Amino acid sequence: AVVGAIQRAGGRALAVAADVAVESDVIRLFETVDKELGAVTALVNNAGILERQMRVEDMDAARLNRIFATNVIGSFLCAREAVRAGFIYTDIHASGGEPDRVERVKESVPMRRGGHALEVAHAILWLLSDAASYSTGTFIDVTGGK
């Protein structure tokens, strides 16, 4: 649906299924994009998963490996500089078993509120713009001060 919307608006887009936790998938993804659209000059990696909360001693190795591979290794394979988001109102919290998590923890954030996806998007757009041309290998924390 996203590819169709981009194409209808006059842009070029393609969808490539890939698991960012699998190095060969990431390599195939970049090769496909390079071939179909040209070299990647900017990338926003928005991969991340949560699972139902539980005590650490109740977690099995497969769960830990899956989360680590997606959230840490996948991000490392795809990123050089990044926006690190804090507690953002998104559906990811529901997949972790706590859809209202941001509401529960927002008082621990210095700004006393959760963030919104658009606030993260603005930081990403700045990084992709000429205004950030001298920034590299850095992180922007969009975390409300946490």
Side-chain angles (χ1 to χ4, degrees):
V2 172
V3 169
I6 291 168
Q7 290 172 339
R8 284 189 299 281
R12 294 176 54 211
L14 74 141
V16 181
D19 183 339
V20 297
V22 178
E23 184 177 11
S24 60
D25 276 12
V26 174
I27 292 168
R28 181 182 47 77
L29 167 71
F30 279 93
E31 289 173 348
T32 302
V33 171
D34 286 350
K35 178 181 174 193
E36 298 294 325
L37 300 175
V40 173
T41 59
L43 169 72
V44 177
N45 175 26
N46 190 27
I49 60 170
L50 289 178
E51 294 200 15
R52 295 246 177 233
Q53 295 179 12
M54 65 173 48
R55 296 181 59 83
V56 173
E57 63 264 20
D58 296 331
M59 294 180 190
D60 63 13
R63 173 195 171 109
L64 294 172
N65 287 332
R66 185 173 49 254
I67 293 170
F68 184 78
T70 300
N71 296 352
V72 178
I73 295 172
S75 294
F76 178 76
L77 290 172
C78 292
R80 277 192 216 156
E81 50 191 276
V83 172
R84 295 186 294 195
F87 296 110
I88 307 297
Y89 291 103
T90 67
D91 293 338
I92 196 171
H93 302 290
S95 67
E98 191 178 0
D100 297 321
R101 182 174 187 222
V102 177
E103 284 299 308
R104 179 178 62 80
V105 300
K106 70 181 182 182
E107 293 303 315
S108 70
V109 175
M111 291 183 76
R112 301 284 189 250
R113 68 175 182 88
H116 297 277
L118 190 57
E119 293 171 300
V120 177
H122 286 298
I124 292 167
L125 288 173
W126 179 79
L127 271 176
L128 296 175
S129 76
D130 289 340
S133 65
Y134 200 60
S135 298
T136 186
T138 187
F139 295 96
I140 297 176
D141 292 327
V142 182
T143 61
K146 187 160 178 92

